[in-house]
Amino acid sequence: MSGAFSSEISTYGEHGWIARLTGARDIVAAALFVNTVADAVRGQTGIIDAVAGVDSLVIRFNPELLTPSIARAMLEQALAATPSNVCPARKQITIPVCYGGAHGPDLGAVSKKAGLTPEQVIKTHAEQPYRVLAVGFAPGFAYLGPLSPSLHVARRATPRPRVDAGSVGVAGAMTGVYPLASPGGWQIIGRTPTLLFNPSADDPFTFAPGDEVRFRAIGEAAFHALVENAL
Amino acid sequence: MKALATIIKPGLSTTLQDLGRPGKRHLGVALSGGADTLSLALANAALGNPANAVTLECTLSGPVLRFEHDAAFALAGADMNARINDAPAPSFQRIEARSGDILGLGKANAGARAYIAFAGGLVGDEFLDSRSTFLPAALGGLNGRVLRAGDALRHAGLATRPPRDIARSLQPVISQAFVLRATPGPEAPLFADAAERFFAAGWRVARRIDRMGAQLDGQRLEAAHQTSMASSPVFPGTVQCARDGAPFLLMADAQTVGGYSRIAQVIGADLYLTGQLRPGATLWFRKTTPADARDIARKKTLLFGDLAPSGLFY
């Protein structure tokens, strides 16, 4: 019995397999499941990569150590052995956010699309806890969800060439924080002064899959005080 | 410590690179490392360096540097008309430089990247077991950035083995036209006829190309039925199609997950060639089965033996 999720496995390149969940309705359960499966496969003999997305995972194997069918069997075994229940978070993280203004240039557009006032958008975004559904895109970037359906908006039609480090964005059913200045297509509603990726720290990464994350609204003065502090 | 060499002119985008950060993608950390790993490895092999020694990766136009003490170096990759003082500096062989000598690289006639390896390797900032520069996060290399005039290259002092001959037949030939073998990607079935067109068509590398990837011009490939795809893992060599149908080929610095349909995956044995793509280059993707691709990886691994580190072709 393959947990509570059914999945389809297909090739990913000549030395990889992808497993995609089919018909998973609960985005949090699905994301935590594929991350747990990836953790279980990673580190086994001959596995080079085990990387999870939101509802899929890919493993890549060393052909000098494994045949394609053995690698696939390792994946199938982990899929079958991983429970599908949502475990409580091991870590709680609170991220202070200064919403709107220069820090959140898309807050107005998101409010309009959602049919809410900017204050309601901020309250809705900050009041509920999220889980880290996946990490990736850039070092330190976490996909957080689920986002309240009232805040589901499409990505920007044209990505911005540069989004400031710490920018808090929404896109579809997810929210996230850009750890580094980078190009980005998410709708930016605020910015955190918290440093989310610090390569010289013992643990460079703030987020791990499954962590619980809350946003706390702060004002401009607090934002600048925290930036000073972080330096 | 006295510098091994000093950068006089930095070139267009010169960074410190080794073989990168394999196996860290679950942390959101890109592979990085030489965009053309094979040329990087051959430059190191020509000196007897460990395969993972830090080299200079030069992009389209190379640097000019002055040796601050006697040292040996080797070049590989795109031909940038390198000269040591005023004499031509041939690729794929160990060259002795004296303190005060000037090594100057010009523009690449074909291809995009040349590698300069130094016997004993260079020092770079370490992050997750690699010294490769990853510019988007300002990681590794020299303060995570491209080299500038005045920068000092420091010698890592790694133990070397005897220099290796790189037979002419093993020296990659770099032209302006590329054929990359590729297997169909996980979303290829969604593209129906467009997937066949992808493999049949000739493509042109757009101006938008860097170490993360290359935009491809030629035609638009719309998926037969659009699905909104949740973020899913991607790798160097993955070809994604954005919603506007333009294919984008991911390279060494590719992000770890993406939200666009994956139409193809370049085979591991051809991946190093992506590091030589430049704007205007033409390329074809030759459809290959996973079984054939594994066979090619096996043969290429045997062909290069210990000149290339294990795993370079998969």
Side-chain angles (χ1 to χ4, degrees), chain A:
Chain A
M1 172 67 215
S2 175
F5 291 107
S6 48
S7 56
E8 279 171 1
I9 298 178
S10 51
T11 57
Y12 196 116
E14 68 276 22
H15 299 120
W17 294 105
I18 181 169
R20 286 176 284 195
L21 302 189
T22 50
R25 272 180 290 274
D26 181 343
I27 188 176
V28 173
L32 299 186
F33 177 78
V34 291
N35 271 283
T36 308
V37 173
D39 288 346
V41 179
R42 192 178 311 119
Q44 291 193 39
T45 301
I47 299 295
I48 298 170
D49 275 307
V51 191
V54 171
D55 59 2
S56 59
L57 75 144
V58 175
I59 64 165
R60 293 185 59 256
F61 62 90
N62 177 344
E64 294 176 53
L65 296 171
L66 299 179
T67 62
S69 54
I70 295 174
R72 181 181 172 131
M74 285 174 161
L75 177 58
E76 284 171 343
Q77 195 174 57
L79 284 163
T82 300
S84 59
N85 56 315
V86 176
C87 298
R90 272 170 296 192
K91 197 167 129 193
Q92 273 87 21
I93 301 159
T94 300
I95 303 291
V97 179
C98 185
Y99 288 96
H103 298 308
D106 296 325
L107 179 62
V110 172
S111 308
K112 207 178 248 177
K113 280 183 193 156
L116 300 170
T117 65
E119 293 70 29
Q120 287 170 322
V121 170
I122 294 169
K123 186 166 178 293
T124 308
H125 187 259
E127 82 183 344
Q128 69 179 99
Y130 301 94
R131 298 294 292 270
V132 176
L133 303 181
V135 298
F137 172 66
F141 190 93
Y143 293 85
L144 306 171
L147 183 64
S148 163
S150 62
L151 297 184
H152 290 196
V153 293
R155 288 162 190 245
R156 288 171 56 83
T158 311
R160 283 195 170 82
R162 187 191 150 98
V163 171
D164 287 328
S167 293
V168 177
V170 293
M174 284 189 274
T175 181
V177 190
Y178 285 82
L180 312 163
S182 69
W186 289 30
Q187 307 273 2
I188 304 302
I189 60 171
R191 192 174 173 204
T192 179
T194 304
L195 190 61
L196 296 167
F197 172 65
N198 180 6
S200 52
D202 284 342
D203 182 5
F205 308 98
T206 305
F207 302 114
D211 289 348
E212 185 180 284
V213 179
R214 286 171 184 273
F215 294 106
R216 178 167 59 86
I218 59 168
E220 189 75 32
F223 179 89
H224 287 290
L226 287 166
V227 169
E228 300 285 310
N229 242 341
L231 294 177

Side-chain angles (χ1 to χ4, degrees), chain B residues 84-176:
Chain B
I84 181 82
N85 300 323
D86 283 317
S91 291
F92 301 107
Q93 57 179 263
R94 179 186 164 99
I95 299 174
E96 304 285 342
R98 308 299 301 266
S99 177
D101 281 355
I102 304 286
L103 173 62
L105 277 66
K107 287 184 179 164
N109 299 320
R113 290 185 176 82
Y115 294 85
I116 313 173
F118 300 85
L122 296 174
V123 169
D125 300 342
E126 186 176 333
F127 177 67
L128 296 181
D129 306 323
S130 162
R131 290 155 181 84
S132 283
T133 309
F134 178 60
L135 296 172
L139 279 179
L142 182 63
N143 302 322
R145 60 167 172 79
V146 296
L147 297 186
R148 300 176 189 147
D151 281 341
L153 303 179
R154 294 195 297 127
H155 191 225
L158 305 175
T160 59
R161 293 188 297 172
R164 298 290 304 272
D165 268 343
I166 315 293
R168 187 165 281 275
S169 61
L170 296 182
Q171 300 175 5
V173 176
I174 297 164
S175 75
Q176 285 287 53

